[in-house]
Amino acid sequence: MGGVRTRTFCRRPPGCAAISAASQGARGTRSAGCRLPGMRSISTADGRVLAVEEWGVPDGVPVVYAHGTPMSRLARHPDAALFADLGIRLITFDRPGFGNSTPRAGRRVVDAADDIATIADHLGLDRFAIFGVSGGGPHALAFAAVHPDRTTRVATLASTAPCDAEGLDWTAGMMESNRLSAAAALRGRAALEAHLAETESADLRELLPEAEQAVLARPEFQQMLSAAYAEALRPGLQGWVDDELALFGLPWGFDPAAITVPVSLWHGELDTVVPVAHSAWLAARIPDAVLTRAPGAAHVGHFDATAATLRWLLDRS
C-alpha cells in the first residue's frame, strides 16, 4: 500500500485555442482525428454483444476509454484532432445495458475486465493503455488489476472510490442527486429504478452543479454529451441502474491495492459530483499511483485534463 503523491494541475482556460478551433472546424478532417467508420458488435463468450467505436487514426497507438455514468461509446473528448495529433487509436465501448451493448444484470465493476479483454482480443490488441472518467474510472482500474500483463498504464479522471471504502465518508461533499442515488442503490434495484426514473427526462446540464456550467456551456461539449447521454439511455434505464448498483451499492470485486502498473489519478478540488476525497483514498492504496489535484476545477474539468492524461498514458519512460 503506497503513500499518496500529489501534483498540481494548471487548468487550461475555457475557450482555449485548441477547443475553439475544433468547434469551428479549423482542425482535423474526418480522416485525421474523427470517428472511424462503423460501429463494431463484438460477441462475448456468454452470448452478449458489446458495441465498440474507434476514433483517431486506425494505425495509431491503441488506448481504451471507459465512459462515465450514464454515458455511452459516443463519449470522448470532442476535439476532433486531439487523438490524431497524438497518434492515438481511441477505442470506446458501451458498458452492458447502455447503447447497443446487451444488459448484464447483477454485474460488478470487476466484470468489466473480461469484457474489455474480449474487445481487445477481437481487435488484436496485446498490451495497451486504458483510462476512465468518473464512473468509468473503477472499470479501467478493474482491467489493470485483473490483467496487469495486458496493461501498460492506467489513468482515471474524477473517479469514484469503492462504496465500501474503509475510512471514507463516501457521500461527504457530494451533490444531492448522487447522495440520493447512493442511498437508493443500497436499498436495492427497485428503489434505484424509481429514483433514476425521476431524473431520466431531465436536461443533462440541469443535473450538474453550477461549478460545472462553464465547461458545459461550450457548444462542442454540449453536442457531444447530449448525443452520448441520449444513446446511453435509448434502450432504457437498465444500463444506468446496473452501473449505479455496481458503483454505489456493491463491492468492486477487486482490491485497488493489487494494481501493479503505473496509475495516474486526476481530480478537481471543486468536484461535488464525485468529491476529491475519492481519488485521495485510491491514491493512498494503489502502490504506484500519482494523484493530480486540480485547484479551480470541478467534475467536467476532466475534459481540460484529457490531453495531459493521454500524453502520460503514451509515455513509456
Side-chain angles (χ1 to χ4, degrees), residues 201-234:
S201 60
D203 185 285
L204 183 60
R205 291 181 63 185
E206 294 175 0
L207 299 178
L208 296 173
E210 186 175 350
E212 313 293 344
Q213 299 306 317
V215 176
L216 293 174
R218 304 177 197 172
E220 65 276 19
F221 288 93
Q222 288 185 37
Q223 182 178 9
M224 181 278 292
L225 288 170
S226 294
Y229 180 68
E231 173 63 7
L233 301 188
R234 178 180 50 75

Side-chain angles (χ1 to χ4, degrees), residues 2-307:
V4 182
R5 289 176 284 157
T6 64
R7 59 178 183 257
T8 307
F9 175 78
C10 181
R11 191 181 182 200
R12 290 195 303 172
C16 66
I19 290 177
S20 176
S23 67
Q24 296 168 20
R27 295 184 62 201
T29 65
R30 181 170 179 81
S31 62
C34 292
R35 185 179 184 176
L36 300 179
M39 183 197 78
R40 296 175 186 258
S41 294
I42 295 175
S43 298
T44 64
D46 59 355
R48 293 177 294 113
V49 169
L50 297 168
V52 177
E53 297 271 358
E54 297 188 41
W55 317 79
V57 290
D59 58 349
V61 179
V63 175
V64 173
Y65 173 69
H67 62 73
T69 306
M71 282 287 147
S72 67
R73 69 190 186 281
L74 303 183
R76 78 285 174 201
H77 195 287
D79 183 345
L82 175 62
F83 309 115
D85 289 348
L86 293 174
I88 286 173
R89 174 191 178 191
L90 186 77
I91 298 153
T92 65
F93 65 100
D94 292 332
R95 282 196 294 280
F98 289 123
N100 280 318
S101 287
T102 309
R104 185 179 183 180
R107 60 181 167 90
R108 298 178 300 162
V109 169
V110 71
D111 294 325
D114 287 341
D115 280 354
I116 295 167
T118 296
I119 292 168
D121 290 344
H122 184 90
L123 299 180
L125 307 181
D126 182 16
R127 299 181 72 239
F128 51 90
I130 183 169
F131 75 116
V133 166
S134 190
H139 296 86
L141 294 174
F143 182 80
V146 176
H147 298 285
D149 56 324
R150 303 190 69 171
T151 309
T152 57
R153 291 185 164 201
V154 60
T156 69
L157 299 129
S159 177
T160 61
C163 64
D164 59 350
E166 184 178 355
L168 175 66
D169 186 348
W170 207 85
T171 60
M174 187 176 284
M175 69 180 191
E176 183 181 14
S177 64
N178 275 5
R179 286 191 286 106
L180 293 174
S181 287
L186 292 173
R187 296 196 301 272
R189 173 175 291 275
L192 184 58
E193 286 176 344
H195 168 69
L196 294 181
E198 295 177 0
T199 60
E200 178 186 9
S201 60
D203 185 285
L204 183 60
R205 291 181 63 185
E206 294 175 0
L207 299 178
L208 296 173
E210 186 175 350
E212 313 293 344
Q213 299 306 317
V215 176
L216 293 174
R218 304 177 197 172
E220 65 276 19
F221 288 93
Q222 288 185 37
Q223 182 178 9
M224 181 278 292
L225 288 170
S226 294
Y229 180 68
E231 173 63 7
L233 301 188
R234 178 180 50 75
L237 287 176
Q238 185 164 349
W240 195 0
V241 170
D242 290 339
D243 233 41
E244 292 210 354
L245 284 173
L247 292 166
F248 294 178
L250 296 171
W252 284 0
F254 70 95
D255 184 355
I259 298 172
T260 57
V261 302
V263 179
S264 172
L265 310 169
W266 178 95
H267 220 115
E269 291 189 342
L270 301 182
D271 194 343
T272 60
V273 179
V274 179
V276 67
H278 285 239
S279 284
W281 188 94
L282 289 168
R285 284 152 181 80
I286 300 174
D288 195 12
V290 175
L291 171 60
T292 298
R293 301 175 68 114
H299 193 72
V300 295
H302 66 73
F303 285 115
D304 289 330
T306 299

